[in-house]
Amino acid sequence: MTNLQETPVEQTQAIRTAAAAKVQTRTRWMILAMLFVITTINYADRATISIAAPGIKKELGLDAVQMGFVFSAFAWSYVIAQLPGGWLLDRFGSKITYFFSIFLWSVFTMLTGAAGFLAGGAAVTMLFALRLLVGAAEAPSFPGNSRIASAWFPTNERGLAAAIFNSAQYFATVLFAPIMGWLVHSYGWHSVFYVMGGLGIVMAFVWLKVIYGPKDHPSVSASELKYIQEGGALVDLDGAQKAPAQVNTFACIKELLGNRMLLGVYIGQYCITTLTYFFLTWFPVYLVQERHMTILKAGFVASLPAIAGFLGGVFGGWLSDRLAKKGYSLSVSRKLPIVIGMLLSMSMIACNYIETDMLVVAVMSLAFFGKGVGALGWAVVSDTSPKEAGGLSGALFNTFGNTAGITTPIVIGFIVQGTGSFAGALVYVGANAALAIACYLFIVGDIKRVSLSKSLIKQ
């Protein structure tokens, strides 16, 4: 009821304010859309090297083991830079830290194309060094995604939100693998890096215009803010005023690693990310070398399992949130899709016994659909990370996961070099899916948010 002493103008304004407060805006979904777009470009930039690999291999005369090391260069620095990246996110916030991440990885991607102007060892050295720089610059990206999702989404929507930004890795292949394959075919491998790097630089500045913390966003309504906050969103995580450090960094890392649930999640992510890096690095080479496809055809064929992976990712997130809304515990609603997904992923081993290319593509599509369904690790991190150290927890999770980016390309390189076949490589990747299941069933236990006790700094 309005105050009788108010003027008609004041009464009208009060009514409008009350009406506006009741309007349920959906600003959080616009934020998620931006995360999806940036993560798509992120993964496309990671995959540039695999699409360009046959041309690079031929032009620079590299063997399978050398290509394995070039493929792994990104992950070495990406892993090493995770914890510093997580610290930067917690200290300076997601918006500005992520902006510099996008801008720098795009500049380094663009410069990678210039490696073709050198010859021999100098070209290989430059290629390796620039991939190292791309990896280091991308380090804050996924912990930043998780941190933003924790701030903007209530618990019962977080599974879908994390699945959507995580599924961008597949959409990147769907959208960009054919484009990059065409660029290599038409203009040479260097062109891929110029185009993708330029696109990323543009999107870095779009990011600054779109991303805000929940309490600072000009478009969020009071009702939406109340809805997400009451649902468990950490709306104060990225306010305009950054709080001083709340944890002792090294003590916090030790405390996180000492938590059995988190350690199981971290190890499980290593196993799941093994599948990701097979897809990002060796899969196009598998299609060209083992299945004798042209690079142009491989670029288009690689998009089919990617479509399946994207659909699986969205379905896994939807299923997880659906189970949570039906009253199942967070443990059941997160673990069930992960176990089902990893079981489906193991089907890729069957490709060793199939001759027909189309059937191979179908089985790989099923495997990557399963990988998508099971890729709920970032939702689990958003659910479990202590509020004082979301960046550090996400960075530690990503450190474990992307160690697979170092080991997978190298191990598969040695398997292919030693056997002359990808058969052992597919068994290796499928075995990691089985280990991921074991982690979630026998190590993780109940999924719940961690409360720090030993590493907090008294204010």
Side-chain angles (χ1 to χ4, degrees), residues 210-260:
V210 173
I211 296 296
Y212 295 87
K215 289 188 174 180
D216 301 321
H217 202 289
S219 300
V220 70
S221 67
S223 59
E224 182 178 19
L225 189 61
K226 180 180 178 182
Y227 168 72
I228 65 175
Q229 187 168 17
E230 290 180 348
L234 306 178
V235 296
D236 295 309
L237 200 58
D238 264 328
Q241 299 298 319
K242 296 306 298 167
Q246 295 178 280
V247 297
N248 180 299
T249 300
F250 292 106
C252 182
I253 292 170
K254 183 178 179 180
E255 188 169 356
L256 293 173
L257 289 175
N259 184 288
R260 174 176 169 171

Side-chain angles (χ1 to χ4, degrees), residues 140-185:
S141 57
F142 264 76
N145 286 349
S146 176
R147 210 167 176 279
I148 293 168
S150 295
W152 273 99
F153 285 88
T155 303
N156 64 6
E157 293 180 354
R158 203 174 290 148
L160 180 59
I164 286 175
F165 73 66
N166 195 50
S167 294
Q169 63 184 281
Y170 311 108
F171 186 73
T173 304
V174 174
L175 178 62
F176 286 109
I179 294 172
M180 292 191 291
W182 173 77
L183 284 170
V184 172
H185 179 76

Side-chain angles (χ1 to χ4, degrees), residues 10-331:
E10 289 173 333
Q11 290 176 356
T12 301
Q13 183 62 42
I15 292 170
R16 288 177 178 174
T17 301
K22 293 179 181 179
V23 174
Q24 177 66 273
T25 55
R26 295 185 175 273
T27 306
R28 63 193 184 281
W29 298 107
M30 183 180 72
I31 296 293
L32 181 61
M34 190 65 192
L35 293 183
F36 180 82
V37 170
I38 290 298
T39 306
T40 298
I41 294 172
N42 180 312
Y43 265 91
D45 285 352
R46 297 187 197 192
T48 49
I49 194 72
S50 65
I51 297 295
I56 293 172
K57 191 170 183 284
K58 181 178 180 181
E59 185 173 317
L60 302 181
L62 304 182
D63 61 29
V65 172
Q66 289 172 318
M67 281 305 302
F69 277 98
V70 170
F71 281 152
S72 74
F74 168 92
W76 283 96
S77 57
Y78 187 67
V79 166
I80 291 169
Q82 280 301 307
L83 291 176
W87 179 85
L88 288 169
L89 286 164
D90 286 335
R91 189 69 186 89
F92 299 105
S94 304
K95 179 174 181 172
I96 193 65
T97 302
Y98 212 145
F99 162 75
F100 281 107
S101 175
I102 301 165
F103 181 79
L104 289 173
W105 93 53
S106 300
V107 169
F108 296 139
T109 295
M110 183 178 286
L111 291 174
T112 303
F117 292 107
L118 302 177
V124 175
T125 300
M126 182 178 178
L127 195 64
F128 192 86
L130 285 167
R131 291 300 291 176
L132 285 173
L133 291 170
V134 171
E138 284 197 15
S141 57
F142 264 76
N145 286 349
S146 176
R147 210 167 176 279
I148 293 168
S150 295
W152 273 99
F153 285 88
T155 303
N156 64 6
E157 293 180 354
R158 203 174 290 148
L160 180 59
I164 286 175
F165 73 66
N166 195 50
S167 294
Q169 63 184 281
Y170 311 108
F171 186 73
T173 304
V174 174
L175 178 62
F176 286 109
I179 294 172
M180 292 191 291
W182 173 77
L183 284 170
V184 172
H185 179 76
S186 302
Y187 302 104
W189 64 266
H190 320 79
S191 62
V192 171
F193 298 100
Y194 298 145
V195 171
M196 295 309 303
L199 177 61
I201 290 171
V202 171
M203 291 307 300
F205 291 96
V206 175
W207 171 273
L208 286 178
K209 295 290 187 181
V210 173
I211 296 296
Y212 295 87
K215 289 188 174 180
D216 301 321
H217 202 289
S219 300
V220 70
S221 67
S223 59
E224 182 178 19
L225 189 61
K226 180 180 178 182
Y227 168 72
I228 65 175
Q229 187 168 17
E230 290 180 348
L234 306 178
V235 296
D236 295 309
L237 200 58
D238 264 328
Q241 299 298 319
K242 296 306 298 167
Q246 295 178 280
V247 297
N248 180 299
T249 300
F250 292 106
C252 182
I253 292 170
K254 183 178 179 180
E255 188 169 356
L256 293 173
L257 289 175
N259 184 288
R260 174 176 169 171
M261 176 192 65
L262 289 179
L263 189 61
V265 171
Y266 296 160
I267 296 172
Q269 185 65 6
Y270 168 85
C271 299
I272 294 172
T273 309
T274 296
L275 281 76
T276 301
Y277 274 96
F278 165 69
F279 190 57
L280 281 176
T281 58
W282 281 108
F283 185 58
V285 181
Y286 166 77
L287 295 175
V288 172
Q289 182 175 319
E290 192 89 352
R291 295 294 164 177
H292 310 294
M293 298 180 186
T294 65
I295 184 60
L296 183 61
K297 182 178 180 181
F300 281 93
V301 168
S303 68
L304 298 178
I307 292 171
F310 172 76
L311 295 175
V314 175
F315 174 74
W318 173 85
L319 175 62
S320 180
D321 285 349
R322 182 73 173 171
L323 290 170
K325 290 175 181 177
K326 287 286 186 180
Y328 289 93
S329 70
L330 202 56
S331 298

